[in-house]
Amino acid sequence: MQTLDKIKLYAEKNSIPIMKDGGIEFICNYIKEHKIKKILEIGTAIGFSAIEFARVSPDITVTTIELDIDRHIKAKQNIHDSGMDGRINAILGDALKLELDDTFDMIFIDAAKGQYINFFEKYKANLAPGGVFISDNLSFHGMVDDLTLTHNYSTIKLVKKIRKYIDFLKQNTEFSTSFFDFGDGISVSIRKNVV
């Protein structure tokens, strides 16, 4: 448990976004209830959520992708310190350029907000039958519902991209999506049964 507290502290000091307690708790419960074993995470940051997911059950493996080399190095250290080397595979690279052959029970999207639709479209082929996409930060500190909370131009652009992603999920005929207020806003997208 000590490692996770240290990671949280480091994230806070260095302004690295990691999942809020309510969000991580919700996803970990989902993993447990749905007996999810293989997870792909897009956006490692410093490894906090990957470690939390792997801790749910000893037979869970996580593949996690990070573009930022400094965060990747820190994540590798945190994964090692938490004794998860054999169960978490941290990859340094651009998730939109990588090709993975594996299939996963859960694909967790928590990387560049403006690329969520592209991540979703690219990796749906890697989703195992009955698998689920989970996306984080769909509230974006309340700004998705209330744009007046920010006057920063680039943040407004980002929030509009998140809104576009939410619309994409709502209108998606291939997947059925539920939205939750836990953490910073989470969506759970399940592929509809193809007849």
Side-chain angles (χ1 to χ4, degrees):
M1 195 57 203
Q2 199 182 356
T3 312
L4 288 169
D5 289 337
K6 271 203 280 199
I7 296 171
K8 277 184 176 180
L9 206 61
Y10 180 90
E12 203 177 312
K13 276 185 188 165
N14 295 277
S15 304
I16 295 167
I18 61 170
M19 282 200 78
K20 292 185 173 183
D21 290 345
I24 199 95
E25 205 174 290
F26 170 79
I27 297 175
C28 287
N29 284 335
Y30 190 95
I31 290 168
K32 196 183 291 174
E33 282 166 24
H34 294 83
K35 298 181 174 51
I36 286 166
K37 301 300 172 209
K38 278 181 75 179
I39 299 167
L40 172 64
E41 176 181 57
I42 302 165
T44 314
I46 54 172
F48 175 71
S49 43
I51 293 165
E52 282 278 37
F53 297 160
R55 284 177 71 241
V56 172
S57 173
D59 53 358
I60 290 171
T61 57
V62 182
T63 299
T64 182
I65 307 165
E66 178 56 52
L67 186 57
D68 183 290
I69 187 153
D70 295 327
R71 288 183 180 185
H72 170 75
I73 290 166
K74 188 68 186 166
K76 292 278 280 187
Q77 183 62 55
N78 289 334
I79 290 161
H80 177 73
D81 291 348
S82 64
M84 293 287 183
D85 281 330
R87 293 179 39 217
I88 301 173
N89 175 23
I91 300 169
L92 174 66
D94 182 342
L96 290 174
K97 292 180 181 162
L98 278 174
E99 292 303 327
L100 297 179
D101 297 328
D102 253 346
T103 57
F104 301 90
D105 305 319
M106 177 180 121
I107 298 176
F108 177 54
I109 304 177
D110 191 15
K113 310 297 164 239
Q115 297 293 343
Y116 272 28
I117 294 175
N118 294 330
F119 292 140
F120 193 101
E121 291 288 27
K122 177 175 170 61
Y123 285 99
K124 67 183 182 185
N126 296 90
L127 201 61
V132 62
F133 268 106
I134 296 186
S135 310
D136 191 28
N137 301 123
L138 298 190
S139 164
F140 206 69
H141 319 293
M143 294 175 208
V144 171
D145 285 334
D146 184 1
L147 255 184
T148 62
L149 293 173
T150 181
H151 299 290
N152 178 303
Y153 176 70
S154 58
T155 305
I156 289 168
K157 264 175 61 176
L158 191 62
V159 169
K160 286 182 174 171
K161 284 178 178 168
I162 296 171
R163 284 180 173 176
K164 196 174 162 190
Y165 178 64
I166 292 168
D167 288 341
F168 161 82
L169 292 177
K170 285 178 177 173
Q171 291 157 20
N172 198 309
T173 54
E174 201 182 339
F175 285 81
S176 171
T177 300
S178 305
F179 297 89
F180 301 91
D181 289 331
F182 298 104
D184 195 25
I186 289 173
S187 65
V188 175
S189 307
I190 299 165
R191 189 179 265 125
K192 292 174 183 173
N193 289 335
V194 184
V195 182

